[in-house]
Amino acid sequence: MGVGGLGSPASTYLAAAGVGRLVLADPQVPEPSNLNRQVLHWTEDVGARRKVDSAAMKLTALNPGTEVLAKAVTVTRENIADVFDGCDIIMDCLDSIPARMVLNEHALRTGTPVVHAAVEGWHGQVTVMMPGTPCLACIFPRVPARAAVIPIIGATAGTFGCLQAGEAIKLITGIGQPLTSKMLIGDLSSQFWDVVEIGRAKECPACSAHSGR
Ligand SMILES: [Zn+2]
């Protein structure tokens, strides 16, 4: 969900790893300011095609064995079940908390694992949400005022998108320990990295409805 700064590296490494089917959902067209981090979109794609089509072209060229479904739609409460029908994992490669809440509700309703990442400037975070673990509404209890421009160093988005792909490969293969109930946080400017335990928010309006507590 989102084929930008996180979705570009995440989908590239998943296609390269041989994932059989990728569903790309993003309504946008690449803009010049995207090119520092949205590495699946090139100068020739700016204003010329949707991000999902730009990404599908390159991912299919990289691995013709990966089926890539390009869905140039804004994902909403009404269409999310349709858009991600049959998906085993959803990658949160978004930059909007309201959109994340739509994804969160769907994941809680269907029990679909979500690999979440978020980046800004030099820093970012990754976690994996599964049934019973903290949900995205536990992590983002409020919707902060949205800045007009969110500065992102491209390498930050690239780093965290790769970490997301790694988490998805762990879930698919059953190898390693996924980052559930833990959050990896990192800042490339100081190279401060840590894994912190995270718990479910008391009376979280989203996941308490699905857990009976
Ligand atoms: Zn919650």
Side-chain angles (χ1 to χ4, degrees), residues 104 108 134-138 200-201 204 206-208:
N104 193 51
L108 288 167
C135 80
L136 298 178
C138 295
R200 284 175 52 198
C204 170
C207 62
S208 51

Side-chain angles (χ1 to χ4, degrees), residues 67-106:
E67 179 192 4
V68 183
L69 300 181
K71 303 196 176 183
V73 292
T74 301
V75 177
T76 64
R77 277 186 181 83
E78 288 68 39
N79 68 10
I80 189 166
D82 237 20
V83 172
F84 296 118
D85 184 36
C87 291
D88 299 314
I89 299 169
I90 302 182
M91 310 293 284
D92 168 7
C93 300
L94 295 161
D95 62 357
S96 141
I97 293 178
R100 285 194 168 101
M101 293 306 115
V102 171
L103 166 57
N104 193 51
E105 266 182 33
H106 172 76

